[in-house]
mmCIF file of all heavy atoms in Angstrom:
data_model
loop_
_atom_site.group_PDB
_atom_site.id
_atom_site.type_symbol
_atom_site.label_atom_id
_atom_site.label_comp_id
_atom_site.label_asym_id
_atom_site.label_seq_id
_atom_site.Cartn_x
_atom_site.Cartn_y
_atom_site.Cartn_z
ATOM 1 N N SER A 149 81.552 115.016 117.999
ATOM 2 C CA SER A 149 82.261 115.349 116.764
ATOM 3 C C SER A 149 83.293 114.271 116.447
ATOM 4 O O SER A 149 83.869 113.657 117.341
ATOM 5 C CB SER A 149 82.973 116.694 116.916
ATOM 6 O OG SER A 149 83.789 116.952 115.797
ATOM 7 N N ILE A 150 83.542 114.089 115.169
ATOM 8 C CA ILE A 150 84.561 113.149 114.714
ATOM 9 C C ILE A 150 85.958 113.620 115.123
ATOM 10 O O ILE A 150 86.910 112.833 115.162
ATOM 11 C CB ILE A 150 84.460 112.951 113.177
ATOM 12 C CG1 ILE A 150 85.223 111.710 112.720
ATOM 13 C CG2 ILE A 150 84.925 114.168 112.424
ATOM 14 C CD1 ILE A 150 84.573 110.427 113.099
ATOM 15 N N ALA A 151 86.082 114.880 115.508
ATOM 16 C CA ALA A 151 87.374 115.450 115.901
ATOM 17 C C ALA A 151 87.992 114.717 117.087
ATOM 18 O O ALA A 151 89.211 114.782 117.272
ATOM 19 C CB ALA A 151 87.222 116.928 116.225
ATOM 20 N N VAL A 152 87.195 113.990 117.869
ATOM 21 C CA VAL A 152 87.747 113.249 119.014
ATOM 22 C C VAL A 152 88.734 112.177 118.564
ATOM 23 O O VAL A 152 89.565 111.732 119.347
ATOM 24 C CB VAL A 152 86.650 112.615 119.904
ATOM 25 C CG1 VAL A 152 85.740 113.669 120.492
ATOM 26 C CG2 VAL A 152 85.869 111.564 119.163
ATOM 27 N N LEU A 153 88.662 111.774 117.291
ATOM 28 C CA LEU A 153 89.602 110.766 116.775
ATOM 29 C C LEU A 153 90.997 111.337 116.549
ATOM 30 O O LEU A 153 91.960 110.594 116.458
ATOM 31 C CB LEU A 153 89.082 110.166 115.469
ATOM 32 C CG LEU A 153 87.810 109.349 115.553
ATOM 33 C CD1 LEU A 153 87.414 108.841 114.171
ATOM 34 C CD2 LEU A 153 87.952 108.193 116.524
ATOM 35 N N GLY A 154 91.083 112.661 116.407
ATOM 36 C CA GLY A 154 92.377 113.296 116.170
ATOM 37 C C GLY A 154 92.472 113.874 114.775
ATOM 38 O O GLY A 154 91.483 113.993 114.050
ATOM 39 N N ASP A 155 93.683 114.223 114.388
ATOM 40 C CA ASP A 155 93.960 114.805 113.078
ATOM 41 C C ASP A 155 93.583 113.825 111.967
ATOM 42 O O ASP A 155 93.938 112.645 112.044
ATOM 43 C CB ASP A 155 95.450 115.157 112.998
ATOM 44 C CG ASP A 155 95.827 115.742 111.674
ATOM 45 O OD1 ASP A 155 95.582 116.949 111.482
ATOM 46 O OD2 ASP A 155 96.355 114.997 110.827
ATOM 47 N N PRO A 156 92.888 114.273 110.919
ATOM 48 C CA PRO A 156 92.472 113.347 109.859
ATOM 49 C C PRO A 156 93.629 112.613 109.183
ATOM 50 O O PRO A 156 93.489 111.447 108.811
ATOM 51 C CB PRO A 156 91.723 114.221 108.861
ATOM 52 C CG PRO A 156 91.724 115.594 109.377
ATOM 53 C CD PRO A 156 92.412 115.623 110.689
ATOM 54 N N GLN A 157 94.762 113.273 109.020
ATOM 55 C CA GLN A 157 95.915 112.618 108.384
ATOM 56 C C GLN A 157 96.397 111.445 109.230
ATOM 57 O O GLN A 157 96.664 110.354 108.712
ATOM 58 C CB GLN A 157 97.043 113.632 108.163
ATOM 59 C CG GLN A 157 98.197 113.104 107.366
ATOM 60 C CD GLN A 157 97.858 112.887 105.899
ATOM 61 O OE1 GLN A 157 97.047 113.587 105.319
ATOM 62 N NE2 GLN A 157 98.499 111.897 105.299
ATOM 63 N N ILE A 158 96.480 111.633 110.536
ATOM 64 C CA ILE A 158 96.933 110.565 111.436
ATOM 65 C C ILE A 158 95.905 109.438 111.485
ATOM 66 O O ILE A 158 96.255 108.255 111.445
ATOM 67 C CB ILE A 158 97.215 111.142 112.839
ATOM 68 C CG1 ILE A 158 98.405 112.099 112.765
ATOM 69 C CG2 ILE A 158 97.477 110.032 113.849
ATOM 70 C CD1 ILE A 158 98.628 112.930 114.005
ATOM 71 N N VAL A 159 94.624 109.805 111.536
ATOM 72 C CA VAL A 159 93.558 108.797 111.519
ATOM 73 C C VAL A 159 93.638 108.004 110.215
ATOM 74 O O VAL A 159 93.533 106.770 110.213
ATOM 75 C CB VAL A 159 92.170 109.456 111.673
ATOM 76 C CG1 VAL A 159 91.059 108.438 111.485
ATOM 77 C CG2 VAL A 159 92.050 110.136 113.023
ATOM 78 N N GLY A 160 93.841 108.692 109.104
ATOM 79 C CA GLY A 160 93.925 108.038 107.802
ATOM 80 C C GLY A 160 95.077 107.061 107.698
ATOM 81 O O GLY A 160 94.935 105.971 107.132
ATOM 82 N N VAL A 161 96.222 107.416 108.261
ATOM 83 C CA VAL A 161 97.382 106.505 108.257
ATOM 84 C C VAL A 161 97.035 105.223 109.023
ATOM 85 O O VAL A 161 97.330 104.115 108.566
ATOM 86 C CB VAL A 161 98.629 107.201 108.852
ATOM 87 C CG1 VAL A 161 99.739 106.206 109.119
ATOM 88 C CG2 VAL A 161 99.115 108.296 107.921
ATOM 89 N N GLY A 162 96.383 105.374 110.159
ATOM 90 C CA GLY A 162 95.987 104.202 110.942
ATOM 91 C C GLY A 162 94.982 103.334 110.204
ATOM 92 O O GLY A 162 95.094 102.101 110.198
ATOM 93 N N LEU A 163 94.004 103.969 109.565
ATOM 94 C CA LEU A 163 93.015 103.212 108.799
ATOM 95 C C LEU A 163 93.667 102.504 107.611
ATOM 96 O O LEU A 163 93.310 101.373 107.277
ATOM 97 C CB LEU A 163 91.900 104.142 108.314
ATOM 98 C CG LEU A 163 90.962 104.685 109.384
ATOM 99 C CD1 LEU A 163 90.050 105.765 108.798
ATOM 100 C CD2 LEU A 163 90.137 103.567 109.997
ATOM 101 N N ALA A 164 94.622 103.164 106.963
ATOM 102 C CA ALA A 164 95.318 102.560 105.820
ATOM 103 C C ALA A 164 96.063 101.293 106.241
ATOM 104 O O ALA A 164 96.027 100.279 105.533
ATOM 105 C CB ALA A 164 96.272 103.565 105.186
ATOM 106 N N LYS A 165 96.719 101.337 107.393
ATOM 107 C CA LYS A 165 97.440 100.153 107.876
ATOM 108 C C LYS A 165 96.487 98.990 108.092
ATOM 109 O O LYS A 165 96.783 97.855 107.733
ATOM 110 C CB LYS A 165 98.174 100.471 109.180
ATOM 111 C CG LYS A 165 99.411 101.299 108.989
ATOM 112 C CD LYS A 165 100.104 101.571 110.306
ATOM 113 C CE LYS A 165 101.282 102.499 110.120
ATOM 114 N NZ LYS A 165 101.913 102.859 111.400
ATOM 115 N N LYS A 166 95.320 99.261 108.663
ATOM 116 C CA LYS A 166 94.331 98.205 108.916
ATOM 117 C C LYS A 166 93.783 97.621 107.619
ATOM 118 O O LYS A 166 93.357 96.478 107.589
ATOM 119 C CB LYS A 166 93.175 98.743 109.757
ATOM 120 C CG LYS A 166 93.571 99.045 111.177
ATOM 121 C CD LYS A 166 92.407 99.574 111.971
ATOM 122 C CE LYS A 166 92.847 99.896 113.383
ATOM 123 N NZ LYS A 166 91.767 100.470 114.188
ATOM 124 N N ARG A 167 93.799 98.411 106.554
ATOM 125 C CA ARG A 167 93.257 97.970 105.263
ATOM 126 C C ARG A 167 94.337 97.432 104.322
ATOM 127 O O ARG A 167 94.043 97.090 103.193
ATOM 128 C CB ARG A 167 92.560 99.148 104.585
ATOM 129 C CG ARG A 167 91.248 99.518 105.226
ATOM 130 C CD ARG A 167 90.751 100.865 104.699
ATOM 131 N NE ARG A 167 89.389 101.132 105.056
ATOM 132 C CZ ARG A 167 88.963 101.406 106.271
ATOM 133 N NH1 ARG A 167 89.817 101.446 107.267
ATOM 134 N NH2 ARG A 167 87.679 101.644 106.517
ATOM 135 N N ASN A 168 95.589 97.433 104.789
ATOM 136 C CA ASN A 168 96.711 97.060 103.928
ATOM 137 C C ASN A 168 96.678 97.922 102.662
ATOM 138 O O ASN A 168 96.691 97.421 101.544
ATOM 139 C CB ASN A 168 96.680 95.565 103.592
ATOM 140 C CG ASN A 168 97.995 95.085 103.036
ATOM 141 O OD1 ASN A 168 99.046 95.675 103.267
ATOM 142 N ND2 ASN A 168 97.948 94.006 102.269
ATOM 143 N N ALA A 169 96.569 99.233 102.881
ATOM 144 C CA ALA A 169 96.366 100.177 101.783
ATOM 145 C C ALA A 169 97.328 101.354 101.888
ATOM 146 O O ALA A 169 97.993 101.553 102.903
ATOM 147 C CB ALA A 169 94.930 100.685 101.823
ATOM 148 N N LYS A 170 97.340 102.153 100.830
ATOM 149 C CA LYS A 170 98.096 103.398 100.812
ATOM 150 C C LYS A 170 97.097 104.543 100.954
ATOM 151 O O LYS A 170 96.088 104.593 100.228
ATOM 152 C CB LYS A 170 98.854 103.527 99.494
ATOM 153 C CG LYS A 170 99.604 104.829 99.359
ATOM 154 C CD LYS A 170 100.267 104.928 97.994
ATOM 155 C CE LYS A 170 100.931 106.282 97.855
ATOM 156 N NZ LYS A 170 101.429 106.483 96.494
ATOM 157 N N LEU A 171 97.363 105.465 101.867
ATOM 158 C CA LEU A 171 96.525 106.636 102.028
ATOM 159 C C LEU A 171 96.869 107.633 100.924
ATOM 160 O O LEU A 171 97.997 108.104 100.841
ATOM 161 C CB LEU A 171 96.739 107.268 103.404
ATOM 162 C CG LEU A 171 95.962 108.552 103.684
ATOM 163 C CD1 LEU A 171 94.463 108.288 103.698
ATOM 164 C CD2 LEU A 171 96.414 109.157 105.006
ATOM 165 N N ILE A 172 95.915 107.940 100.077
ATOM 166 C CA ILE A 172 96.114 108.905 98.994
ATOM 167 C C ILE A 172 95.877 110.321 99.518
ATOM 168 O O ILE A 172 96.652 111.228 99.252
ATOM 169 C CB ILE A 172 95.156 108.637 97.812
ATOM 170 C CG1 ILE A 172 95.299 107.204 97.305
ATOM 171 C CG2 ILE A 172 95.348 109.650 96.698
ATOM 172 C CD1 ILE A 172 96.628 106.857 96.739
ATOM 173 N N SER A 173 94.783 110.489 100.270
ATOM 174 C CA SER A 173 94.497 111.811 100.831
ATOM 175 C C SER A 173 93.599 111.686 102.057
ATOM 176 O O SER A 173 92.885 110.697 102.222
ATOM 177 C CB SER A 173 93.824 112.717 99.791
ATOM 178 O OG SER A 173 92.541 112.240 99.473
ATOM 179 N N ALA A 174 93.666 112.692 102.897
ATOM 180 C CA ALA A 174 92.814 112.803 104.075
ATOM 181 C C ALA A 174 92.463 114.275 104.225
ATOM 182 O O ALA A 174 93.333 115.136 104.139
ATOM 183 C CB ALA A 174 93.532 112.295 105.320
ATOM 184 N N SER A 175 91.189 114.551 104.418
ATOM 185 C CA SER A 175 90.772 115.945 104.549
ATOM 186 C C SER A 175 89.594 116.041 105.506
ATOM 187 O O SER A 175 89.010 115.024 105.909
ATOM 188 C CB SER A 175 90.391 116.519 103.179
ATOM 189 O OG SER A 175 89.306 115.801 102.626
ATOM 190 N N GLU A 176 89.261 117.257 105.851
ATOM 191 C CA GLU A 176 88.107 117.491 106.704
ATOM 192 C C GLU A 176 87.326 118.664 106.139
ATOM 193 O O GLU A 176 87.870 119.513 105.438
ATOM 194 C CB GLU A 176 88.513 117.763 108.144
ATOM 195 C CG GLU A 176 89.326 119.013 108.351
ATOM 196 C CD GLU A 176 89.715 119.224 109.800
ATOM 197 O OE1 GLU A 176 90.492 118.409 110.330
ATOM 198 O OE2 GLU A 176 89.250 120.207 110.395
ATOM 199 N N ARG A 177 86.019 118.677 106.429
ATOM 200 C CA ARG A 177 85.184 119.802 106.028
ATOM 201 C C ARG A 177 84.076 119.957 107.048
ATOM 202 O O ARG A 177 83.664 118.992 107.691
ATOM 203 C CB ARG A 177 84.618 119.626 104.627
ATOM 204 C CG ARG A 177 83.589 118.527 104.507
ATOM 205 C CD ARG A 177 83.035 118.435 103.079
ATOM 206 N NE ARG A 177 82.261 117.232 102.907
ATOM 207 C CZ ARG A 177 80.983 117.096 103.222
ATOM 208 N NH1 ARG A 177 80.313 118.116 103.722
ATOM 209 N NH2 ARG A 177 80.350 115.953 103.029
ATOM 210 N N LEU A 178 83.600 121.163 107.187
ATOM 211 C CA LEU A 178 82.517 121.472 108.106
ATOM 212 C C LEU A 178 81.310 121.878 107.275
ATOM 213 O O LEU A 178 81.378 122.823 106.486
ATOM 214 C CB LEU A 178 82.933 122.611 109.042
ATOM 215 C CG LEU A 178 81.992 122.945 110.177
ATOM 216 C CD1 LEU A 178 81.859 121.763 111.144
ATOM 217 C CD2 LEU A 178 82.488 124.169 110.931
ATOM 218 N N THR A 179 80.216 121.143 107.423
ATOM 219 C CA THR A 179 78.990 121.422 106.695
ATOM 220 C C THR A 179 77.833 121.500 107.676
ATOM 221 O O THR A 179 77.573 120.515 108.392
ATOM 222 C CB THR A 179 78.710 120.328 105.640
ATOM 223 O OG1 THR A 179 79.817 120.258 104.752
ATOM 224 C CG2 THR A 179 77.447 120.628 104.856
ATOM 225 N N GLU A 180 77.192 122.624 107.727
ATOM 226 C CA GLU A 180 76.044 122.843 108.612
ATOM 227 C C GLU A 180 76.346 122.418 110.052
ATOM 228 O O GLU A 180 75.534 121.779 110.719
ATOM 229 C CB GLU A 180 74.809 122.135 108.073
ATOM 230 C CG GLU A 180 74.347 122.691 106.740
ATOM 231 C CD GLU A 180 73.092 122.041 106.210
ATOM 232 O OE1 GLU A 180 72.399 121.335 106.959
ATOM 233 O OE2 GLU A 180 72.803 122.264 105.024
ATOM 234 N N GLY A 181 77.551 122.751 110.503
ATOM 235 C CA GLY A 181 77.942 122.471 111.877
ATOM 236 C C GLY A 181 78.404 121.051 112.148
ATOM 237 O O GLY A 181 78.720 120.701 113.280
#
Side-chain angles (χ1 to χ4, degrees):
S149 173
I150 196 72
V152 299
L153 294 179
D155 179 80
Q157 187 70 31
I158 294 169
V159 173
V161 168
L163 290 171
K165 285 181 185 176
K166 290 180 181 178
R167 287 168 168 70
N168 196 23
K170 177 183 176 187
L171 177 65
I172 305 297
S173 67
S175 61
E176 64 181 66
R177 69 178 169 85
L178 188 63
T179 302
E180 296 182 14

